[in-house]
Amino acid sequence: MKKFLSSKILQLSAICGFLFFVSNCLDSQRDRIQMDTGVSVKTLGPHKYQFVAIGRASVPSVEEQDFFKMKKTSCEAAKLQVTQRLDELESDQKHRQFFLEQKEQKYFGDGEYCELTYIYELPPAKKQKDQP
């Protein structure tokens, strides 16, 4: 009876080990996506733009498969692209970053890529009252 029981336990252990091995192999097979990074600008009017930027995560975060870091660094890269492009378009404005409004944020590939949508609109100048 003891021999029968020990052989059953050994068989169950072997089956569990095999299933564990197969599940780990299947889980590690992830499809990698490749996206073009950069920023596109749509002019909505004078001093009004819509930016859609795609940033890629840092290489160390991708290699470590650190999803939090990937999401953080990919969005930082996208935002940097937007601010650089805004600097080119509105170089005369001092506080241009203040008028950027984030509208949307999406992640792709477990956070390896981040797509940000911003709207920039310079408010109309305040009218000065006539002084006597």
Side-chain angles (χ1 to χ4, degrees):
M1 181 74 175
K2 286 184 178 182
K3 208 175 204 185
F4 177 73
L5 186 61
S6 63
S7 68
K8 285 292 183 185
I9 291 174
L10 187 60
Q11 287 176 345
L12 282 174
S13 298
I15 290 172
C16 289
F18 177 74
L19 290 175
F20 179 75
F21 176 75
V22 169
S23 68
N24 280 340
C25 289
L26 293 176
D27 190 37
S28 66
Q29 296 269 340
R30 294 185 180 193
D31 292 331
R32 297 290 307 253
I33 61 170
Q34 182 65 36
M35 297 180 72
D36 291 330
T37 58
V39 62
S40 63
V41 181
K42 182 178 180 181
T43 304
L44 304 174
H47 303 290
K48 186 173 182 178
Y49 308 98
Q50 176 180 337
F51 298 93
V52 178
I54 297 176
R56 187 171 191 274
S58 65
V59 173
S61 65
V62 173
E63 288 174 352
E64 295 168 5
Q65 287 295 301
D66 186 336
F67 301 121
F68 176 76
K69 269 189 189 175
M70 286 195 305
K71 287 181 177 183
K72 183 176 185 268
T73 58
S74 62
C75 285
E76 286 173 351
K79 186 172 183 178
L80 179 63
Q81 293 172 2
V82 169
T83 57
Q84 288 174 341
R85 188 70 171 114
L86 182 58
D87 287 346
E88 295 170 7
L89 294 170
E90 295 285 331
S91 57
D92 326 353
Q93 304 302 322
K94 290 182 182 179
H95 303 290
R96 57 187 159 268
Q97 313 306 327
F98 182 73
F99 303 111
L100 269 177
E101 182 183 351
Q102 184 176 332
K103 291 293 187 179
E104 194 174 0
Q105 179 174 335
K106 297 179 192 171
Y107 294 106
F108 302 98
D110 292 329
E112 187 175 352
Y113 293 93
C114 177
E115 179 183 273
L116 294 176
T117 303
Y118 280 97
I119 298 290
Y120 170 84
E121 182 174 12
L122 186 64
K126 294 180 181 178
K127 294 182 181 180
Q128 294 182 357
K129 296 180 181 179
D130 293 331
Q131 293 181 352

